[in-house]
Amino acid sequence: MKVINPVLPGFNPDPSLVRVGDDYYIATSTFEWFPGICIHHSKDLVNWEILSYALTDETKFDIKGMDTACGIWAPNLTYDNGTFYLIYTIVYTNRHRFKDTHNFMVTATDPQGPWSAPIPLNKMGFDPSLFHDPDGTKWLVNMLFDYRLDHKRFGGVGVQQYDPKTQKLVGPIYNVFKGSDKGTTEGPNIFYHNGWYYLVTAEGGTEFKHCVTMCRSRKLTGPYEISPYAPILTSFGKDVQLKRAGHGQIIQGKDGNWYMAHLCSRSLDDCSIVGRETAIQNMTLTEDGWFKLSANDTASPEDFFEVPEEVEVKSAKSGFTDFGKVTEIPLEYMTLRQSAKTCGITISDGKLHIQGGNSLASKYNQGLLVRRHQHHSYDFTAKMEFAPRDYCHMAGLVCYYNYDNNYYLNMSVDDEGKPYVMVNVSVNKEISQSEKVYLGENKDPVYLKAEVRERNVTFFVSQDGTSYTQVGEVLDMRNLSDERVDGNGFAGAMVGVTCQDLHGDGIQADFEWLDYSVCREELRT
Ligand code: 6LW
């Protein structure tokens, strides 16, 4: 049966795929978004749903004030003898020549938690993973970052033993692989099969030269030889839909076949508006003990992969959220840097309530609740009740990449107290705003809509939910992509609702429902 890629559409980068019996799990990076580390679950590699987030407790996981694209980088989820091991990096600094990359481990007997308190590991680099050697020992594997200007910044792959009893790293650090000629060696993970230690790494950088390199050795600590098929996956120089393919993880499925999860980007004009997503490829173990793509000999990512069984493809979860019918914030929605509770985002009396927070330019106390932009064409609509008392009170619908890059259809009042909506545009350091569209007297509720159609997004307002008026001009969704934001772009466009209180006298916005409605041509089931 053919399965369409990506399996995890939208901002779901750096996949770590693990199989536990008949269950598959994928952990992905979340950066400054809260909660931390998204864990998807599937029974068949076909149907996936968000199972949980691993880092939900702000007392153990504090990313308040983090710069954009810092926070949680590539996680690694493994399982051994009844315990799930989740390793991750909190990147505190990623500026100029330095990266402050604190690696931690949490464990659980159930991927839905509770997860243990974080165990500090090291700070020598990012993309850590845990290797469970068949001999019973455990080893931390991570890329080694080198700030010295006369050394390669990506200094190779470090391997050091981890002692579960003392929860400490012990013994020497072996630099087992300095990288191929592709460079930028990261995302290292090791698995053992048939007498070989296989080392899989991401190389070429997560942009358009990204690739997956594979090595093997008879000894964990090397020496490793590079596969003759390397790179075993790359989009570079290929006419493929899945660009930026890299950061791979290979597992053996319950059907005995081999699969590789990897990140990719369905970019438009080389802009990854839907972020870096997760796809799966079929892998073949060759006669001479190497892994290569099953579908082609050019290491090109395929738009489809195969599973042996016919599986019923479940229809996607509805994008309509009626707050009269839910008591918890749906798992597809996220907040920034702090929990919904801390940000004053609650559900009661059949409505979502967002306390006014800081401006969208802030790294603190955001009253903002958004979900991943997972399709190139969809409508996002919000039914809002909001009674601003002055221009310092704003609330509405936002297409958000980070604090410098977002489009905000917001409602406020002018100095005569007349309510209006307009679109505030922030693209890196350029800011602008549309003309105001004044609302009639009966301003409660208002319906706010974003129509996203590939490269374009258009905003609308209605006071009856039927007839909509355009607000501002058509805007370019490509500006909300990894490639066009200043500095690091690692996340992906998000869409949702927000409220600001820049007066300090307390204001909230209430939402009866939110609707993320995918356009027909994008429907995949
Ligand atoms: C990830 C690393 C990377 O940890 O980007 O560019 C980081 N390479 O593999 C964030 O996705």
Side-chain angles (χ1 to χ4, degrees):
M1 172 186 167
K2 272 179 172 268
V3 186
I4 191 169
N5 274 320
V7 291
L8 306 184
F11 154 45
N12 283 292
D14 308 320
S16 175
L17 168 64
V18 65
R19 176 173 67 86
V20 181
D22 288 348
D23 294 289
Y24 296 96
Y25 302 94
I26 293 180
T28 51
S29 312
T30 45
F31 305 99
E32 68 261 37
W33 292 99
F34 199 98
I37 307 182
C38 185
I39 298 176
H40 281 81
H41 171 254
S42 174
K43 299 289 278 187
D44 49 32
L45 291 176
V46 178
N47 298 293
W48 290 90
E49 61 178 13
I50 298 177
L51 177 74
S52 61
Y53 288 84
L55 306 176
T56 56
D57 178 347
E58 284 164 290
T59 62
K60 299 177 192 161
F61 168 58
D62 179 3
I63 54 170
K64 198 167 43 214
M66 285 278 172
D67 280 344
T68 183
C70 281
I72 296 291
W73 284 23
N76 171 260
L77 182 62
T78 55
Y79 176 84
D80 181 48
N81 196 21
T83 299
F84 287 86
Y85 297 81
L86 183 62
I87 293 192
Y88 58 93
T89 309
I90 297 184
V91 176
Y92 286 92
T93 319
N94 182 22
R95 291 167 62 85
H96 316 307
R97 66 190 286 188
F98 289 105
K99 295 185 198 289
D100 291 302
T101 57
H102 297 208
N103 293 319
F104 296 95
M105 178 198 290
V106 290
T107 62
T109 53
D110 181 330
Q112 297 184 82
W115 291 91
S116 70
I119 301 161
L121 296 170
N122 69 18
K123 303 177 183 177
M124 296 187 72
F126 49 89
D127 294 357
S129 63
L130 192 62
F131 171 62
H132 306 272
D133 196 305
D135 70 5
T137 57
K138 295 186 188 309
W139 300 77
L140 179 71
V141 186
N142 63 264
M143 69 76 66
L144 296 170
F145 185 75
D146 194 327
Y147 70 88
R148 293 170 295 180
L149 299 185
D150 53 354
H151 285 68
K152 264 180 35 172
R153 278 156 57 87
F154 288 68
V157 174
V159 175
Q160 187 178 19
Q161 188 169 356
Y162 171 73
D163 177 357
K165 289 192 183 62
T166 60
Q167 298 186 335
K168 296 282 184 213
L169 296 168
V170 295
I173 299 169
Y174 301 90
N175 190 337
V176 299
F177 180 54
K178 298 285 178 70
S180 78
D181 60 347
K182 301 285 185 276
T184 318
T185 306
E186 54 195 354
N189 57 88
I190 294 175
F191 67 95
Y192 182 83
H193 179 72
N194 228 0
W196 288 106
Y197 291 91
Y198 289 101
L199 167 63
V200 180
T201 59
E203 290 198 303
T206 195
E207 295 73 27
F208 290 86
K209 293 184 177 175
H210 211 194
C211 66
V212 178
T213 293
M214 188 164 214
C215 318
R216 74 182 182 189
S217 172
R218 288 294 187 192
K219 274 180 64 193
L220 172 63
T221 52
Y224 283 84
E225 56 169 325
I226 297 179
S227 164
Y229 301 99
I232 61 171
L233 179 74
T234 186
S235 313
F236 183 52
K238 313 275 179 63
D239 181 17
V240 292
Q241 187 202 198
L242 303 183
K243 295 291 190 184
R244 303 177 64 183
H247 207 103
Q249 174 124 37
I250 296 174
I251 64 153
Q252 189 167 27
K254 58 186 171 185
D255 51 29
N257 297 321
W258 294 90
Y259 299 91
M260 175 164 67
H262 65 90
L263 76 77
C264 64
S265 159
R266 290 175 292 152
S267 51
L268 287 178
D269 309 332
D270 287 346
C271 292
S272 307
I273 307 168
V274 287
R276 294 176 299 161
E277 309 174 284
T278 289
I280 292 177
Q281 304 293 329
N282 297 104
M283 302 302 288
T284 293
L285 177 55
T286 63
E287 291 294 311
D288 53 356
W290 287 109
F291 289 86
K292 65 180 284 294
L293 284 193
S294 306
N296 63 63
D297 292 331
T298 58
S300 305
E302 295 282 338
D303 295 346
F304 296 87
F305 70 100
E306 298 270 354
V307 292
E309 307 290 317
E310 278 304 314
V311 171
E312 182 206 346
V313 180
K314 294 189 185 121
S315 51
K317 180 182 173 187
S318 163
F320 185 76
T321 304
D322 177 348
F323 293 103
K325 295 190 174 127
V326 297
T327 53
E328 301 285 323
I329 291 173
L331 288 173
E332 60 269 29
Y333 282 90
M334 302 186 83
T335 53
L336 262 177
R337 301 183 178 87
Q338 296 164 280
S339 70
K341 184 166 178 286
T342 301
C343 296
I345 300 172
T346 56
I347 297 172
S348 65
D349 310 324
K351 288 182 183 141
L352 170 77
H353 310 294
I354 300 184
Q355 290 298 322
N358 284 357
S359 74
L360 289 180
S362 173
K363 298 190 284 190
Y364 299 88
N365 307 330
Q366 288 287 341
L368 175 135
L369 187 69
V370 292
R371 58 171 289 165
R372 294 164 177 81
H373 172 95
Q374 294 183 286
H375 303 85
H376 285 298
S377 297
Y378 65 87
D379 290 352
F380 187 85
T381 312
K383 182 176 180 185
M384 175 173 83
E385 292 172 17
F386 182 56
R389 296 185 292 276
D390 67 31
Y391 69 93
C392 292
H393 296 153
M394 307 158 77
L397 185 163
V398 64
C399 289
Y400 182 99
Y401 188 97
N402 64 23
Y403 35 55
D404 288 338
N405 295 275
N406 50 76
Y407 299 143
Y408 182 17
L409 171 61
N410 67 95
M411 176 179 172
S412 189
V413 290
D414 66 11
D415 291 341
E416 285 70 49
K418 292 198 185 101
Y420 65 81
V421 292
M422 70 176 172
V423 179
N424 293 353
V425 176
S426 172
V427 177
N428 296 316
K429 300 297 177 239
E430 286 168 43
I431 55 175
S432 60
Q433 63 186 41
S434 71
E435 294 298 317
K436 295 182 180 65
V437 171
Y438 278 90
L439 301 172
E441 272 320 298
N442 58 333
K443 60 188 181 302
D444 266 352
V446 288
Y447 299 79
L448 305 171
K449 178 163 64 171
E451 284 188 359
V452 177
R453 299 291 184 274
E454 297 198 330
R455 295 158 184 77
N456 299 329
V457 58
T458 314
F459 293 97
F460 299 87
V461 66
S462 166
Q463 291 191 265
D464 60 13
T466 310
S467 56
Y468 280 85
T469 305
Q470 182 170 331
V471 183
E473 62 194 32
V474 177
L475 297 171
D476 190 339
M477 277 305 288
R478 291 171 294 181
N479 289 329
L480 305 184
S481 68
D482 298 358
E483 292 79 11
R484 290 207 184 174
V485 301
D486 287 349
N488 282 303
F490 286 146
M494 310 285 269
V495 62
V497 287
T498 182
C499 179
Q500 287 72 38
D501 171 13
L502 308 183
H503 184 126
D505 56 354
I507 187 94
Q508 75 176 38
D510 302 326
F511 297 87
E512 202 173 305
W513 49 257
L514 304 177
D515 186 24
Y516 177 99
S517 174
V518 184
C519 296
R520 185 180 312 283
E521 63 273 20
E522 288 273 337
L523 288 176
R524 311 169 68 212
T525 52

